[in-house]
Amino acid sequence: MTQADPTYFNEMLNGSDVRAAYESLERWQAAMPADLRSLKQHEAEQLFRRVGITFAVYGEGGDPERLIPFDMFPRVFTAEEWRKLDRGIRQRAAALNAFLADVYDRGEILRAGRIPEHLVTHNEAFEKAVVGMRPSRNVWSHIVGIDLVRTGRDQFYVLEDNCRTPSGVSYMLQNREIMMRMFPQLFLENRIAPVDGYAAALKRTLVSVAPPKCDGTPNVVILTPGQFNSAYYEHSFLADLMGVELVEGQDLFVDGDFVWMKTTEGPQKVDVIYRRIDDAFLDPLCFRSDSMLGVPGLMNVYRSGGVSICSAPGAGVADDKAIYTFVPEMVRFYLGEAPVLENVPTWQCAKPDQCKYVIENLAELVVKEVHGSGGYGMLVGPKADKSQLEAFRAKIEARPENYIAQPTLALSTVPTFVDEGVAPRHVDLRPYCLVGEKIELVPGGLTRVALNEGSLVVNSSQGGGVKDTWVLAE
């Protein structure tokens, strides 16, 4: 086991001592011969491939279907650590939904001057087509993915919010399934909170936001762009787990005040659509006219209360990186509470004084596009060479409003299997919070790990992997 680097918080080691939550895992890995570990790693990869867990990367040549690397060494949270995270995640999801309900209605937070109005109303994710609407239960973002990083024993920061269609939950579920299959003894020796209730909780959430015109048991479907989407496996996986239909736009049509699904037994009315396509493609009569993925007339039915769309069109304005800086203010404004989870300190390049600081300190900062995702469109200053820094400086100077900057955080590390044995690697965490009639949160989430030594980028598209995430039961 590699000694803890004092620069970073090591979640397993306190100096050279193993923390209590990891003691059983330290004994487990120490007793595992290298050849058995190699065999088990191969077995895990075969299981992932057999069930079809791949993600797509296009435009780079070769086979676009790749396995996300799976690391067998679990990440562990104590019950006490999880209680704080649970409280903070629920609080943040409630505040984000209150913000969305407000800005598409009276805009009280804008009128109070707590958030600059232009950042909302001029934001490309702000959908004028839904201004004045009130979705079922006034919930706008039904699945909220909160990306968290840890820098110390009690120090957690929110890196970003995902209010539209956060992906990755299938990996959370399958990571656990595969660990239980390969190492059942670990789950007999440790009291680990289960995650397999997620699909039932998701279905409960979707059913609870059925539209006003639903007069029976709500019919729920998942709307996918199709098999060429990078997250298609997840769409089909969740549909299977929930026992609902997976549909494409061509499988649905509008007739009268309702949305209908084509079936071999005739049309069936659809009440709730868990959409996994972007706003722009939902309805060619309302958004992009060239969309072949959506349903013509869908938005008219949505406005009239004939169908619920989860998450609601327009929810993306809440997870824009320029809006992110104001989420703690949302918590105070709407909930009257102090934020449990802190934001990462952020400079907005749209502000000249802050942009000047970013330009002058580019080599020390992480710079992100306000609408970027997946690790693309960002600069990790300390890892960039001179030409990369100069190229990014030119981008910022050309469109300062398109960027924010944050300090390079000393992300915590967790033990990870490497060729030489076990070594610390940097991680983040994405829990999935469900918002409907009530707020639900399964204990754990998706831990993403930067497998390359020294790397801070955990995104799968940039070479990151995944781990099972344990929350120890009381």
Side-chain angles (χ1 to χ4, degrees):
M1 171 69 66
T2 305
Q3 292 290 308
D5 181 346
T7 309
Y8 305 103
F9 177 72
N10 188 305
E11 296 189 15
M12 179 172 176
L13 298 179
N14 182 12
S16 59
D17 299 327
V18 177
R19 300 181 197 276
Y22 277 94
E23 285 176 351
S24 68
L25 286 173
E26 166 59 10
R27 292 192 297 271
W28 164 74
Q29 72 85 19
M32 192 187 309
D35 57 346
L36 177 59
R37 178 164 67 86
S38 178
L39 184 68
K40 287 291 187 181
Q41 187 67 54
H42 178 72
E43 181 184 346
E45 290 172 3
Q46 291 303 307
L47 287 169
F48 270 103
R49 194 169 291 281
R50 191 177 306 154
V51 296
I53 308 180
T54 59
F55 72 101
V57 179
Y58 302 110
E60 296 182 11
D63 181 6
E65 295 297 323
R66 301 182 187 175
L67 288 177
I68 290 185
F70 172 65
D71 181 66
M72 297 184 299
F73 205 122
R75 183 189 195 178
V76 183
F77 289 102
T78 65
E80 180 183 1
E81 289 169 337
W82 182 252
R83 275 195 296 272
K84 175 181 179 178
L85 292 178
D86 182 278
R87 194 168 71 252
I89 293 161
R90 290 171 186 266
Q91 179 192 64
R92 198 163 175 110
L96 288 163
N97 268 285
F99 166 75
L100 287 163
D102 181 28
V103 296
Y104 284 112
D105 189 24
R106 293 177 57 82
E108 297 287 1
I109 200 167
L110 307 181
R111 294 202 281 177
R114 304 291 186 91
I115 300 177
E117 185 171 354
H118 74 275
L119 284 182
V120 176
T121 57
H122 293 176
N123 193 301
E124 67 179 42
F126 183 78
E127 298 290 3
K128 294 181 175 61
V130 295
V131 170
M133 276 206 59
R134 184 183 176 91
S136 179
R137 298 189 185 277
N138 213 13
V139 175
W140 289 75
S141 181
H142 306 81
I143 302 94
V144 185
I146 308 288
D147 289 352
L148 299 163
V149 294
R150 187 178 193 178
T151 59
R153 184 179 182 85
D154 300 308
Q155 296 165 312
F156 294 90
Y157 291 94
V158 176
L159 201 57
E160 63 181 50
D161 307 289
N162 299 274
C163 295
R164 297 174 235 203
T165 55
S167 62
V169 75
S170 59
Y171 299 105
M172 175 189 83
L173 299 172
Q174 288 288 15
N175 292 346
R176 176 64 53 85
E177 178 71 23
I178 285 174
M179 284 297 292
M180 290 179 72
R181 183 182 298 191
M182 294 197 306
F183 303 106
Q185 192 63 30
L186 279 178
F187 292 84
L188 293 174
E189 297 170 355
N190 297 274
R191 296 188 63 219
I192 304 159
V195 297
D196 57 1
Y198 177 83
L202 175 58
K203 189 170 184 181
R204 273 197 307 275
T205 296
L206 297 172
V207 166
S208 77
V209 294
K213 292 181 181 178
C214 177
D215 55 4
T217 302
N219 187 19
V220 178
V221 301
I222 297 181
L223 176 61
T224 176
Q227 62 179 329
F228 296 111
N229 183 264
S230 62
Y232 181 72
Y233 165 77
E234 179 160 299
H235 307 165
S236 58
F237 177 74
L238 290 174
D240 197 40
L241 284 182
M242 289 195 292
V244 304
E245 293 293 336
L246 179 67
V247 299
E248 298 181 27
Q250 62 191 1
D251 301 318
L252 305 178
F253 67 95
V254 168
D255 186 22
D257 295 332
F258 300 104
V259 177
W260 302 85
M261 174 174 58
K262 302 171 188 175
T263 78
T264 56
E265 298 177 353
Q268 287 185 9
K269 186 162 74 73
V270 172
D271 301 295
V272 181
I273 298 175
Y274 174 25
R275 54 80 174 242
R276 296 297 296 257
I277 69 176
D278 294 340
D279 288 0
F281 301 101
L282 275 173
D283 181 351
L285 300 183
C286 182
F287 302 117
R288 281 185 54 162
S289 60
D290 61 344
S291 171
M292 303 294 289
L293 303 176
V295 184
L298 173 62
M299 289 301 294
N300 285 337
V301 178
Y302 176 61
R303 290 190 195 97
S304 69
V307 71
S308 291
I309 302 175
C310 306
S311 287
V317 72
D319 64 25
D320 184 90
K321 291 181 179 66
I323 298 297
Y324 155 89
T325 56
F326 297 97
V327 179
E329 186 59 34
M330 295 177 198
V331 172
R332 288 185 282 266
F333 185 81
Y334 297 114
L335 308 182
E337 300 169 0
V340 175
L341 297 172
E342 298 180 52
N343 271 14
V344 177
T346 303
W347 291 272
Q348 298 177 55
C349 295
K351 296 183 176 180
D353 56 332
Q354 295 188 23
C355 188
K356 182 173 182 290
Y357 177 86
V358 171
I359 294 291
E360 291 173 352
N361 296 275
L362 207 52
E364 302 167 17
L365 302 173
V366 175
V367 186
K368 303 176 182 178
E369 290 183 355
V370 294
H371 307 302
S373 64
Y376 294 108
M378 67 183 287
L379 173 83
V380 181
K383 303 291 183 182
D385 59 32
K386 186 174 181 180
S387 64
Q388 290 171 318
L389 290 172
E390 288 304 318
F392 229 86
R393 181 176 284 110
K395 288 182 180 180
I396 296 170
E397 289 173 341
R399 290 194 63 196
E401 73 285 353
N402 202 41
Y403 296 93
I404 61 162
Q406 296 170 331
T408 307
L409 294 180
L411 302 190
S412 66
T413 63
V414 298
T416 301
F417 285 121
V418 296
D419 290 342
E420 308 81 50
V422 177
R425 292 291 185 266
H426 298 289
V427 291
D428 76 353
L429 176 70
R430 176 178 290 182
Y432 298 87
C433 190
L434 303 174
V435 186
E437 183 179 18
K438 57 183 178 179
I439 297 179
E440 297 194 61
L441 181 65
V442 298
L446 177 64
T447 288
R448 300 184 296 181
V449 54
L451 294 172
N452 298 323
E453 185 175 5
S455 173
L456 298 171
V457 182
V458 300
N459 304 81
S460 56
S461 54
Q462 306 290 298
V466 294
K467 287 174 168 284
D468 190 15
T469 308
W470 291 5
V471 174
L472 299 181
E474 295 280 8

